[in-house]
Amino acid sequence: MEYPVTRLRRLRSSEPMRSLVRETHLEPGAFIYPLFICPGEGVRNEISSMPGVCNLSIDEALKEAEEAASLGIGGLLLFGLPESKDEEGSGAWAEDGIVQSALREFKKSAALKNLLLIADVCLCEYTSHGHCGIVKKQGEAYEIENDSSVRLIARTALSLAQAGADIVAPSDMMDGRVAAIRDELDEEGLEQVPVLSYASKFSSAFYGPFREAADSAPQFGDRRSYQMDGANLREAMREIELDLAEGADMLLMKPAMAYLDVIRAARERFDVPIGAYQVSGEYSMFQAAFAKGWLEPQRTMMESLVSIRRAGAGFIVTYFAKDAAKVLG
Ligand code: PBG
């Protein structure tokens, strides 16, 4: 049936009509809000490249978490800025580490009982060189060692789960880390803690502002020997297959907007829950355009989130979580 019998505009005639036929919906429970926890008390330092996002001491982070909970947000993704860093990133698995301490504090709050606490598992915020693993140097050349890094990453995941993380989310991209984390958790009686794997994390310029927020920029070289080449969709599917075989319970696709095709391909191929991370650079570029008055903030933000959902992400890690939850009200 064609025009004039078929007129697609009939179903766009009013907001109730559009609402009736809308295919993709957002809800606050599908948002995960990242927090950057730093030492001290009463600290709330705004990240210059990420307006509205702050480094927060535990007491301030708790307030932020309680606000997120009251808005119905699904969970938090926690990152830490330790007091000091070393070659191995020992702050990542310290019992009194910054995220471990935050988790223990958050677990005491009744207001947060419906908020999932997800711990990002990586070494880059804790290593003096800023890489996500152990660096072996030979003169000018260097290598990020896989297997020794995996042991420390598994130890970090265990320590975060013991401190109360509801989900651990490895973001380092070392080979074999999901299996090592699963092993370590199961051995210590934490077989109920799920692994959310950043299975196909791309080496992306869009992480730039995060590295200011988490103080985790590599001091030399880059992450291209462990994070994926942005040109490779088939390799992304292999990474996901391996992580699922190693025991990953869920996937976190990242970045989001420049990789919507990868999210879609993963959604069609794998029957596990899939989330996507609208990363720092995506947020910063919108904020820059908002500040200039070049894009309408609310509509742009919601359209970006709908696009990620439509591509196939069930949940979205986003710095807009609070703002978007308020819009959905
Ligand atoms: C840690 C990690 C990074 C991000 C999440 N976990 C940084 C990186 O890999 O350089 C990026 C998140 C963002 O840009 O918002 N490895």
Side-chain angles (χ1 to χ4, degrees):
M1 214 68 88
E2 288 173 18
Y3 171 84
V5 174
T6 299
R7 290 174 183 267
L8 293 182
R9 289 186 57 193
R10 273 186 208 119
L11 301 183
R12 295 176 205 148
S13 60
S14 66
E15 183 47 32
M17 193 73 84
R18 291 189 290 273
S19 170
L20 181 75
V21 301
R22 189 160 291 136
E23 299 173 33
T24 307
H25 297 268
L26 293 170
E27 68 269 338
F31 298 143
I32 306 291
Y33 188 42
L35 292 184
F36 298 99
I37 322 268
C38 68
E41 231 177 284
V43 182
R44 197 168 250 282
N45 287 337
E46 193 168 42
I47 320 303
S48 66
S49 54
M50 299 179 75
V53 178
C54 297
N55 286 167
L56 302 165
S57 51
I58 295 175
D59 54 330
E60 291 293 325
L62 184 61
K63 292 183 202 159
E64 199 72 15
E66 289 176 349
E67 192 191 349
S70 73
L71 289 165
I73 286 170
L76 302 176
L77 180 61
L78 303 177
F79 296 95
L81 290 93
E83 199 94 53
S84 64
K85 307 190 185 218
D86 58 32
E87 290 276 308
E88 288 199 306
S90 61
W93 64 82
E95 202 180 332
D96 61 349
I98 185 78
V99 174
Q100 286 84 350
S101 307
L103 283 165
R104 291 201 171 89
E105 208 50 43
F106 288 6
K107 280 290 164 193
K108 290 185 205 153
S109 164
L112 304 188
K113 68 175 189 316
N114 291 327
L115 197 65
L116 285 167
L117 303 181
I118 309 176
D120 185 271
V121 178
C122 198
L123 301 181
C124 64
E125 299 120 68
Y126 303 91
T127 50
S128 42
H129 43 71
H131 278 289
C132 305
I134 295 297
V135 176
K136 198 165 99 192
K137 278 199 161 159
Q138 287 149 327
E140 281 299 284
Y142 71 94
E143 185 200 335
I144 313 302
E145 278 189 344
N146 194 83
D147 298 7
S148 57
S149 304
V150 164
R151 282 192 285 279
L152 299 182
I153 284 157
R155 191 166 164 187
T156 300
L158 173 63
S159 146
L160 291 163
Q162 283 171 334
D166 297 306
I167 299 173
V168 290
S171 66
D172 53 283
M173 287 302 284
M174 300 298 137
D175 287 323
R177 90 271 210 220
V178 172
I181 290 172
R182 189 70 270 155
D183 255 14
E184 192 87 11
L185 293 177
D186 290 358
E187 235 168 72
E188 298 297 323
L190 291 161
E191 64 283 335
Q192 291 300 329
V193 176
V195 176
L196 167 62
S197 175
Y198 292 74
S200 66
K201 178 174 171 177
F202 291 97
S203 176
S204 173
F206 288 101
Y207 307 150
F210 172 95
R211 293 181 188 166
E212 180 197 345
D215 185 27
S216 67
Q219 299 303 302
F220 51 87
D222 55 45
R223 304 212 201 289
R224 281 184 289 188
S225 77
Y226 43 107
Q227 297 182 349
M228 283 190 45
D229 184 332
N232 292 358
L233 181 124
R234 288 191 295 266
E235 188 189 349
M237 298 301 112
R238 291 191 70 197
E239 279 285 4
I240 294 171
E241 235 161 59
L242 285 172
D243 279 18
L244 293 176
E246 288 179 28
D249 299 279
M250 300 181 275
L251 304 172
L252 188 56
M253 310 298 290
K254 172 186 182 182
M257 284 188 77
Y259 295 84
L260 294 178
D261 57 322
V262 187
I263 298 174
R264 167 56 37 194
R267 180 63 293 159
E268 284 173 4
R269 195 148 158 178
F270 303 103
D271 291 328
V272 294
I274 295 179
Y277 196 147
Q278 183 179 48
V279 300
S280 57
E282 303 180 57
Y283 177 83
S284 297
M285 92 185 154
F286 285 138
Q287 289 292 351
F290 300 162
K292 291 223 176 233
W294 289 349
L295 289 171
E296 197 184 309
Q298 184 170 313
R299 285 187 57 205
T300 307
M301 167 179 79
M302 297 314 274
E303 189 176 332
S304 74
L305 296 168
V306 164
S307 76
I308 296 167
R309 198 92 201 269
R310 197 189 57 239
F315 57 95
I316 306 174
V317 180
T318 175
Y319 301 97
F320 286 125
K322 280 198 319 182
D323 297 337
K326 284 178 195 161
V327 173
L328 295 169

